[in-house]
Amino acid sequence: MATSSLRQLDIFAQMVASGNAAICARDLGISVEKVAQDLASLEMRLGYRLFDEISGNLRLTAAGRKTAEAMTLLSRDDPESWSSSKVDEPDPQAHDREERQSIVLAAPAPVFGRFQEALAAFEAANEDVAITLDLTIHLAEEAATALREGRVDIAYFYALGETADLPSRYGWSEQINLYAGNTHPLALQDSVSAQDLATLPMLMMERPNPLRRIIDAALARDGIRTGDPVLETDNMFDIMTILREGAGCFAAFGPLARDLGRLGGIRRLALERSLPVVEVRQATGTRAANGSAATALADYLFL
């Protein structure tokens, strides 16, 4: 695959198709250890588990099933994003969905991870409603376009505040923090200044990654400068390895920041000045009128 992100998604698709890590590794021509490593990296970026267990016969989590369904729908629009596999076959439940009220909910994967249980509860309580998940929307301009074109009914997205052309409501804020290996000189300091940051070598996600884009925009808006990237990758295993080696620092927010803070050998920098926060906001389309199932879901997710 062209990037770490697409390679990891391809492995996930092959895992769903094969139902077995060893078969997946054989079909892709890589080791089982590499399959497990890339899946762990993907799960860390998404912010939730995809499989209950990857040894023996695979068991998808509820969130993993939703993700596989969302990626199947995506592959119909962008077949080059996934390799050919069983996950691309027609959905046997498609007819049932047409018989029920349909809601398309867009959210970045880490945001979906936050309300996946509430979403499952809503579906269980409303059997006449079929919810389709879209994981391709991350930023305000993407949400505005998808809502305007009627491709989604509810959109969660990352923003630095409300925008004039997209009425939305504030959900919550997620603090951007910087992380380094325990032995990094700045990790040993009681306070890290703006001057320290200006020359700080950085590990960054790939430039097209929406998390990278919103972090860059937040730092630029607040006039915060960092050093040039020494690595740009979406492979969290590589980032964690290099962080522990002390070769750079990494900016993160949300579930990814939470998970990094729990890892051994990695420490959050004690910044003299707090970095900006990223807002998670919700907007609805024209079909989400008062009394509709989409409006009920939008409100329910705020409870």
Side-chain angles (χ1 to χ4, degrees), residues 71-302:
M71 292 299 99
T72 301
L73 295 173
L74 173 62
S75 70
R76 294 172 188 166
D77 295 328
D78 186 13
E80 293 183 359
S81 294
W82 292 73
S83 62
S84 177
S85 64
K86 295 178 185 177
V87 79
D88 289 332
E89 293 177 356
D91 185 350
Q93 297 179 339
H95 177 72
D96 291 341
R97 289 195 185 90
E98 292 175 359
E99 299 294 323
R100 300 150 69 191
Q101 298 180 68
S102 176
I103 301 173
V104 181
L105 170 65
V111 173
F112 161 62
R114 178 170 175 141
F115 58 63
Q116 58 177 287
E117 292 182 1
L119 190 63
F122 185 91
E123 286 187 295
N126 297 271
E127 295 182 355
D128 62 332
V129 174
I131 301 172
T132 299
L133 188 64
D134 184 333
L135 298 176
T136 66
I137 306 299
H138 294 83
L139 305 177
E141 60 267 27
E142 299 167 342
T145 299
L147 290 165
R148 183 174 62 251
E149 294 177 351
R151 290 187 282 113
V152 304
D153 301 300
I154 305 168
Y156 280 84
F157 55 93
Y158 297 126
L160 302 179
E162 187 171 13
T163 57
D165 59 343
L166 180 60
S168 60
R169 57 178 170 177
Y170 170 81
W172 63 88
S173 293
E174 298 182 341
Q175 179 72 54
I176 299 174
N177 284 297
L178 283 175
Y179 296 85
N182 285 347
T183 60
H184 191 285
L186 294 185
L188 303 176
Q189 293 184 193
D190 294 332
S191 182
V192 177
S193 69
Q195 289 74 22
D196 293 326
L197 298 183
T199 58
L200 180 62
M202 295 293 295
L203 311 176
M204 296 181 176
M205 292 184 179
E206 295 164 13
R207 292 182 183 276
N209 190 303
L211 300 184
R212 161 80 181 271
R213 290 160 59 195
I214 194 69
I215 289 173
D216 285 352
L219 297 182
R221 185 196 64 178
D222 282 24
I224 299 171
R225 295 177 54 245
T226 62
D228 294 331
V230 295
L231 175 71
E232 294 176 292
T233 181
D234 287 343
N235 189 317
M236 288 308 303
F237 182 84
D238 289 345
I239 288 174
M240 287 186 296
T241 299
I242 296 175
L243 278 178
R244 287 173 171 143
E245 292 173 350
C249 294
F250 181 70
F253 65 91
L256 178 55
R258 175 203 65 203
D259 291 342
L260 281 172
R262 294 173 177 174
L263 293 174
I266 295 174
R267 182 178 300 175
R268 179 171 60 87
L269 298 187
L271 300 176
E272 183 179 273
R273 170 190 175 186
S274 295
L275 297 182
V277 298
V278 173
E279 293 184 5
V280 176
R281 303 189 69 90
Q282 183 203 73
T284 56
T286 55
R287 287 206 304 168
N290 288 337
S292 70
T295 297
L297 175 58
D299 291 340
Y300 180 78
L301 294 177
F302 262 74

Side-chain angles (χ1 to χ4, degrees), residues 20-26 30-39 54-55:
N20 183 281
I23 295 174
C24 174
R26 182 201 65 194
I30 59 178
S31 67
V32 174
E33 291 74 18
K34 179 60 176 172
V35 168
Q37 183 185 106
D38 272 340
L39 283 176
I54 65 168
S55 61

Side-chain angles (χ1 to χ4, degrees), residues 8-32:
Q8 291 163 6
L9 290 173
D10 185 50
I11 289 174
F12 174 55
Q14 292 285 0
M15 285 280 280
V16 173
S18 66
N20 183 281
I23 295 174
C24 174
R26 182 201 65 194
D27 292 345
L28 292 174
I30 59 178
S31 67
V32 174

